[in-house]
Amino acid sequence: MKFILIFLILAFAIVAPLIWTTDYWHHLMVLAAIYAIVALGLNFTLGLTGQLSLAQAAFWGIGAYTSALLTVRHELSFWIGLPAAAAVSALFGILLGFPSFKLSGHYLAMTTIGFGIIVRLVLQNETDLTGGADGIAGIPAPTLLGFDIDDNRKFYYFALGFLILLSIVALRVQHSRAGRAFQAIRENEMAASATGVNINRYKLIAFMFSALYAGIAGSLYAHSAGYISPDTFSFDQSVIFLVMLVLGGSGSVYGTLLGAILITFLPEWLRFLKSYYMAVYGAGVLLMMIFLPTGMWGLLEMIHERIIGKPVEVIPPLDRPGEPRKAELSVGAKK
Amino acid sequence: MEILKTIQLSKHFGGLKAVDKVDLSIQKGEIRALIGPNGSGKTTILNILSGIYQPTEGKILFKGMDITGKKPHILVEYGMARTFQNIRLFPELTVLQNVKVGQHCRTKSDLVSIIFGLSGARKEERHIEEKAMQVLEFVGLQDKRNRPAKSLPYGQQRLLELARALATEPELLLLDEPAAGLNPHETEVLDDLLIKIRNQGITLLLVEHDMNLVMGISDYITVLNFGAKIAQGTPEEIQNNPEVIEAYLGKEEVLQT
Amino acid sequence: MDCFLSVVYCNGFRQWTTDNGQRSVDFITFLQLIISGLAMGAIYALVALGFVLIYNAVGIVNFAQGEFIMIPAFFGITALVTWYLPVPVAYSLVLAAMVVFGLVFELIAYYPLRNRPFLPVVISTIGASILLKNLAQNIWGAIPLRFPGLFETGTLNLGGLRIGLQHLLILGVTLILLILQYLLFEKTLLGKKMQATAQDKQTARLMGIPINKMIALTFIYSALLGGVAALLVAPILNVTKDMGGPIALKAFSSSIIGGFGSIPGAILGGLFVGVIEAIAGKYYSAYTDGVAFFVLIAVLLFRPQGIFGERIAEKA
């Protein structure tokens, strides 16, 4: 059942560019794939670990600039720019993870906002390094096995490949001991620590992952757009990533993907509202929070449960004393 | 053999001496109860032992190692686990996931083998699953494994917290009022369970107000009052100790048991 | 990794050495900087107060706080420019409109979510912010507008020390407002009820205080503070849909720098950020907008309870 669903979604993702054939729609699809990667990154910090980070656009920008500068100024290959973007961004991610040892909630959020604003100011003002407000133009298209990925349709499949890979990585991490450690921190820090989770270490890892994903997405963005400027990587963009995550379903990989796609295409579907579409979009976000507290994914799960029906569980009472227990404890002391 | 020893353990909050020069010596395999009137420093001692508080003075030796000032997760790795007075579960995670977190410190798959799905990581994940199921069966929660922890009734939440602590494979288990809020039947089940845990070779140190439970299962009892140790002995000795009776003055159920 | 940082410093240093030749940093210039810094700081303080009061009342940081300045600024333009109303009437009308605005905002963006964890509420205020900004753009257009000030470019000359009249007005009005607020919170029953609600909702409810009403009043008061801040600062800024965001973020930083959750902390933090920004902005003009955040990060790392705060209250 689950595999059929995943197969259908994948099939749809693959034929989508053949259904909507204009270059503009292909461009939106590229954006959706890239945004989804950034939002998947944010799912590590906020969704799984519960650390409210609003610097996601800054990591995205760091990735985009690293890759753009290496390929434009130093004429290196995209295949060097991309890992470099991921690495530089991840390093900044770890750096921003340190304040999370001491700070939580709104304090941490404000620190990450501050970091994002400073990054953007550096991009804007350090003209020698970053090209300043004019940005960087002429970023080359990537080549894959001798093929130039030089239009939006090709780039969509290219980015989709990354998105699928990174979604698999995210799912694997989430369902591993590391993923459980993240979630334990989100649920109760003290209990996580008293259950053997090194909370500082896993907070750093979560920040590293979130920046790593954003860095990769940044590189993809730079090479698909061919031109980048500081304005793209603003605080407002970080907020949009946050909205994607929470509207889709924070903590769930599928929900995050859904949120990213929804938020990328929603303004297009609202175009008929003319100049009011952004206002309606804001109102939509507000209303969804009021009526869909668990995000779109939560809603789908609920509908699914309604249709299939909840598995009926027989809930036996606690074992009566004297009754034989089903198993003996074999977890005893280690040596 | 001595598993845990404290030497002149003290914790001051400003001018208040919450714990005052307490010497404890706990033998491997015993069930030790820490009792005393409210505010006598029992929970504070548990919080120091499990690394949540730093002691103001004094030393803690665990299996002969000085563990004073170590962080909680390190202590779990050394073999010390705990539960909390006001249950601290991972409410949104399932029952099984809660217990699986307990296996965290006993497993070591790194991110690379997780991301690439290497066979070592897969094998370990299966092992974690088996281990967690064993522990759940031990406390009798195996049928609830896929429910979110927050949906369990109170008594079962206590059992789940115990299961999570057991999943860390401890040698010493610190229990902060495990029977608080349980009905008589549930307390009986717990009583049974604690003895079974001890029979597995795990040492138990519990803070508890339910005197029936304490007198029934403890090998030794340490009594605290105003942060200081005032008595220590077998349940029988403690029940007849005049100083203890005075400390509990008015608490007649102590005398009756 | 630290190449970014060192570049920041090098660049700043270059500006310092090259520009400094013709610019003698004498005492009077310095005083002027302090005064204009204090004036901007007073605006941050008012907005920071708006944040803190809402935070204390409902535990939520309102990400639409910037719109609490942007909206009244546009209201003011409509009243003063379009309707050509006399200043006292126009200003009163703006403040009255803000009372309604605060209430409506509370009823839509907060009240339906009052029993939810903080993140959905934060997102809902973000949604409200997007909605308000784009409504404003539809109503008043995308071109920056000028808000007619009381004094235009008037300055007061005190033996070489030139002080902008608008700056003086900001400082004076803020001072009076803070005194009134002190009287409201400390000397009136209503103020005490609002404080009690902020400190402990359960107990306040048990004491028979209508806490939902108090929370609504807090939002209204916060909107009024935004209205006053807007009337004061709009004449020295461009009025656009995005004018509120940067002010709000700096005000939010100020409140943390001062000690989050503390009313004096918000005021002192705002003034402090205003002054530091004015002085630093003189020499690192490109980074003026970053100053508040550099200070914020430094404070959070070394003194998380804030410069003037006594303890860190939040452990979310």
Side-chain angles (χ1 to χ4, degrees):
Chain A
M1 174 68 200
K2 198 176 169 191
F3 286 104
I4 297 171
L5 197 68
I6 291 173
F7 177 79
L8 285 176
I9 294 170
L10 268 182
F12 178 73
I14 288 166
V15 299
L18 307 176
I19 302 172
W20 292 277
T21 51
T22 63
D23 186 56
Y24 180 69
W25 277 90
H26 292 163
H27 160 74
L28 285 178
M29 289 175 198
V30 172
L31 274 188
I34 289 172
Y35 286 162
I37 294 172
V38 184
L40 276 182
L42 189 59
N43 191 40
F44 282 100
T45 33
L46 180 66
L48 295 179
T49 319
Q51 309 295 304
L52 179 49
S53 163
L54 279 163
Q56 203 61 358
F59 293 130
W60 189 45
I62 289 171
Y65 269 86
T66 306
S67 196
L69 289 170
L70 287 176
T71 50
V72 174
R73 299 250 173 101
H74 301 279
E75 298 184 344
L76 293 167
S77 147
F78 163 79
W79 294 104
I80 294 175
L82 176 86
V88 172
S89 184
L91 273 173
F92 275 100
I94 292 172
L95 195 73
L96 195 64
F98 281 101
S100 73
F101 292 1
K102 274 203 269 180
L103 307 170
S104 60
H106 298 108
Y107 292 90
L108 184 64
M110 197 61 228
T111 312
T112 60
I113 292 173
F115 171 80
I117 286 173
I118 291 167
V119 166
R120 190 173 159 208
L121 284 172
V122 170
L123 295 181
Q124 197 145 354
N125 293 309
E126 296 312 313
T127 314
D128 295 347
L129 181 72
T130 64
D134 295 338
I136 301 174
I139 305 166
T143 49
L144 178 67
L145 308 169
F147 291 102
D148 282 333
I149 317 237
D150 52 3
D151 69 24
N152 278 322
R153 191 168 52 92
K154 290 181 201 160
F155 209 102
Y156 166 69
Y157 288 115
F158 187 62
L160 185 65
F162 277 95
L163 176 60
I164 292 169
L165 274 180
L166 290 169
S167 302
I168 293 170
V169 168
L171 282 169
R172 281 196 174 152
V173 171
Q174 182 172 348
H175 295 108
S176 72
R177 62 192 286 273
R180 284 189 297 270
F182 291 148
Q183 295 174 73
I185 293 171
R186 178 191 70 200
E187 297 287 297
N188 192 322
E189 266 191 38
M190 191 190 275
S193 180
T195 313
V197 175
N198 183 343
I199 47 181
N200 287 351
R201 185 191 151 99
Y202 279 93
K203 281 181 181 173
L204 285 189
I205 294 176
F207 271 93
M208 182 203 72
F209 267 119
S210 86
L212 185 89
Y213 273 56
I216 292 172
S219 172
L220 291 174
Y221 176 78
H223 293 272
S224 77
Y227 164 76
I228 52 173
S229 71
D231 288 345
T232 311
F233 311 104
S234 62
F235 167 66
D236 289 346
Q237 188 62 42
S238 287
V239 168
I240 290 174
F241 291 135
L242 178 72
V243 171
M244 287 176 181
L245 184 69
V246 177
L247 274 190
S250 179
S252 148
V253 168
Y254 301 113
T256 307
L257 297 178
L258 190 64
I261 294 164
L262 197 74
I263 295 295
T264 312
F265 289 101
L266 193 61
E268 299 307 319
W269 296 325
L270 297 176
R271 284 271 179 224
F272 71 93
L273 296 164
K274 306 256 165 55
S275 64
Y276 277 93
Y277 83 96
M278 276 305 284
V280 172
Y281 166 75
V285 169
L286 210 167
L287 290 174
M288 284 214 228
M289 274 302 100
I290 295 175
F291 297 109
L292 290 180
T294 50
M296 294 297 290
W297 189 248
L299 179 74
L300 289 184
E301 278 185 334
M302 217 170 70
I303 293 170
H304 178 255
E305 267 176 16
R306 285 274 163 81
I307 296 170
I308 307 290
K310 263 189 185 173
V312 182
E313 267 182 275
V314 185
I315 304 164
L318 278 176
D319 284 358
R320 302 275 178 282
E323 273 177 26
R325 251 173 235 283
K326 286 181 192 128
E328 279 305 313
L329 181 65
S330 56
V331 287
K334 254 184 55 169
K335 270 153 270 151
Chain B
M1 200 194 103
E2 199 171 47
I3 189 165
L4 183 83
K5 187 181 171 70
T6 69
I7 303 161
Q8 298 285 295
L9 195 67
S10 303
K11 177 71 186 177
H12 302 169
F13 294 109
L16 175 77
K17 290 180 178 173
V19 176
D20 193 16
K21 298 189 178 114
V22 171
D23 290 324
L24 281 178
S25 166
I26 295 167
Q27 298 301 311
K28 194 168 170 53
E30 74 169 299
I31 297 184
R32 170 71 61 95
L34 209 52
I35 65 169
N38 284 331
S40 58
K42 306 175 302 269
T43 295
T44 310
I45 288 189
L46 239 52
N47 283 338
I48 300 171
L49 292 178
S50 59
I52 288 168
Y53 291 161
Q54 301 297 314
T56 314
E57 269 169 54
K59 254 171 58 164
I60 310 165
L61 301 177
F62 181 57
K63 299 190 284 185
M65 278 181 294
D66 186 353
I67 57 156
T68 322
K70 293 268 190 241
K71 289 195 169 174
H73 70 268
I74 303 279
L75 297 176
V76 177
E77 216 173 308
Y78 287 171
M80 191 195 288
R82 72 165 291 173
T83 64
F84 293 90
Q85 186 180 336
N86 47 343
I87 307 173
R88 288 174 183 269
L89 291 171
F90 307 128
E92 300 287 337
L93 300 191
T94 65
V95 167
L96 184 62
Q97 282 175 322
N98 265 270
V99 179
K100 279 180 169 181
V101 177
Q103 274 281 301
H104 185 85
C105 62
R106 298 291 167 235
T107 48
K108 50 188 182 304
S109 289
D110 53 25
L111 289 166
V112 176
S113 45
I114 289 167
I115 290 170
F116 291 101
L118 300 184
S119 69
R122 287 167 183 232
K123 228 161 102 188
E124 194 176 76
E125 190 61 30
R126 276 198 299 276
H127 174 76
I128 293 172
E129 178 110 14
E130 278 168 25
K131 204 83 179 185
M133 279 311 295
Q134 273 175 10
V135 179
L136 279 180
E137 282 173 29
F138 180 76
V139 301
L141 287 176
Q142 68 275 27
D143 298 327
K144 309 282 165 60
R145 63 182 176 277
N146 290 325
R147 293 180 39 167
K150 64 176 181 190
S151 73
L152 294 185
Y154 187 83
Q156 294 181 353
Q157 293 201 6
R158 284 234 172 261
L159 289 182
L160 177 56
E161 207 191 19
L162 186 63
R164 188 180 67 190
L166 286 173
T168 68
E169 303 176 21
E171 290 174 62
L172 172 66
L173 192 52
L174 312 176
L175 303 172
D176 198 351
E177 300 203 20
L182 299 188
N183 65 34
H185 167 64
E186 288 169 331
T187 310
E188 235 174 290
V189 173
L190 178 77
D191 186 311
D192 210 37
L193 212 49
L194 293 184
I195 288 177
K196 274 189 180 164
I197 293 171
R198 196 264 301 272
N199 291 344
Q200 299 286 328
I202 299 173
T203 313
L204 293 170
L205 172 61
L206 63 144
V207 164
E208 188 49 72
H209 278 300
D210 183 329
M211 285 305 147
N212 281 320
L213 182 76
V214 167
M215 295 303 166
I217 66 169
S218 314
D219 299 308
Y220 278 96
I221 295 174
T222 301
V223 188
L224 295 174
N225 200 14
F226 296 116
K229 189 166 95 176
I230 58 168
Q232 185 164 319
T234 63
E236 225 156 69
E237 288 165 358
I238 292 302
Q239 285 175 54
N240 299 319
N241 184 319
E243 237 185 303
V244 176
I245 293 167
E246 200 187 302
Y248 271 95
L249 201 67
K251 292 212 162 186
E252 288 185 13
E253 75 269 19
V254 178
L255 306 175
Q256 281 160 4
T257 33
Chain C
M1 262 338 75
D2 50 21
C3 63
F4 269 118
L5 276 182
S6 64
V7 169
V8 175
Y9 287 123
C10 288
N11 196 35
F13 190 67
R14 267 202 314 274
Q15 282 185 355
W16 179 290
T17 44
T18 52
D19 293 353
N20 222 14
Q22 73 263 27
R23 185 198 293 148
S24 70
V25 190
D26 52 280
F27 184 64
I28 296 222
T29 316
F30 185 72
L31 257 186
Q32 272 171 202
L33 275 181
I34 297 271
I35 290 171
S36 64
L38 280 175
M40 207 53 215
I43 298 296
Y44 297 151
L46 290 177
V47 180
L49 267 180
F51 267 120
V52 166
L53 292 171
I54 289 182
Y55 179 81
N56 285 349
V58 297
I60 291 302
V61 169
N62 173 19
F63 275 76
Q65 199 78 28
E67 280 48 79
F68 283 34
I69 303 174
M70 179 271 286
I71 292 291
F74 278 119
F75 282 169
I77 285 178
T78 298
L80 287 166
V81 180
T82 315
W83 297 344
Y84 210 70
L85 294 173
V87 168
V89 181
Y91 279 28
S92 318
L93 214 56
V94 168
L95 293 180
M98 286 314 284
V99 170
V100 178
F101 173 84
L103 182 64
V104 171
F105 183 90
E106 196 259 357
L107 287 177
I108 292 175
Y110 170 73
Y111 191 75
L113 293 131
R114 63 194 177 287
N115 295 323
R116 298 272 180 78
F118 95 108
L119 197 62
V121 193
V122 166
I123 305 281
S124 107
T125 65
I126 289 172
S129 162
I130 298 173
L131 169 67
L132 289 168
K133 278 194 221 174
N134 291 287
L135 274 184
Q137 179 162 330
N138 272 290
I139 298 168
W140 287 284
I143 304 156
L145 299 176
R146 215 180 58 83
F147 190 103
L150 292 180
F151 311 107
E152 297 307 318
T153 51
T155 52
L156 188 69
N157 199 324
L158 290 174
L161 176 68
R162 295 219 310 262
I163 306 169
L165 287 174
Q166 191 70 29
H167 288 166
L168 275 184
L169 180 74
I170 291 173
L171 287 171
V173 170
T174 305
L175 186 67
I176 294 167
L177 191 68
L178 291 179
I179 292 170
L180 287 177
Q181 175 183 305
Y182 174 82
L183 293 176
L184 168 74
F185 281 161
E186 302 299 328
K187 305 289 175 200
T188 71
L189 190 60
L190 179 68
K192 284 185 177 155
K193 282 181 181 169
M194 282 168 79
Q195 275 197 329
T197 306
Q199 274 167 17
D200 187 341
K201 266 188 258 329
Q202 293 309 330
T203 315
R205 184 180 279 132
L206 288 176
M207 303 306 259
I209 298 172
I211 62 165
N212 283 335
K213 209 181 266 176
M214 291 304 131
I215 289 171
L217 275 177
T218 307
F219 273 88
I220 290 172
Y221 183 64
S222 181
L224 266 177
L225 283 174
V228 174
L231 294 176
L232 290 172
V233 79
I236 53 177
L237 296 175
N238 281 329
V239 178
T240 69
K241 79 171 166 65
D242 295 316
M243 71 178 288
I247 299 177
L249 283 178
K250 287 178 199 169
F252 185 17
S253 306
S254 304
S255 66
I256 293 180
I257 290 167
F260 199 41
S262 139
I263 289 174
I267 297 164
L268 293 173
L271 294 174
F272 180 74
V273 166
V275 170
I276 294 280
E277 192 178 79
I279 294 172
K282 186 99 182 155
Y283 304 106
Y284 301 84
S285 59
Y287 285 95
T288 310
D289 287 331
V291 170
F293 304 104
F294 279 116
V295 177
L296 170 78
I297 289 172
V299 166
L300 280 175
L301 290 181
F302 299 110
R303 203 179 148 78
Q305 70 272 46
I307 295 180
F308 310 104
E310 281 170 10
R311 71 202 155 81
I312 190 152
E314 184 188 40
K315 188 76 188 158

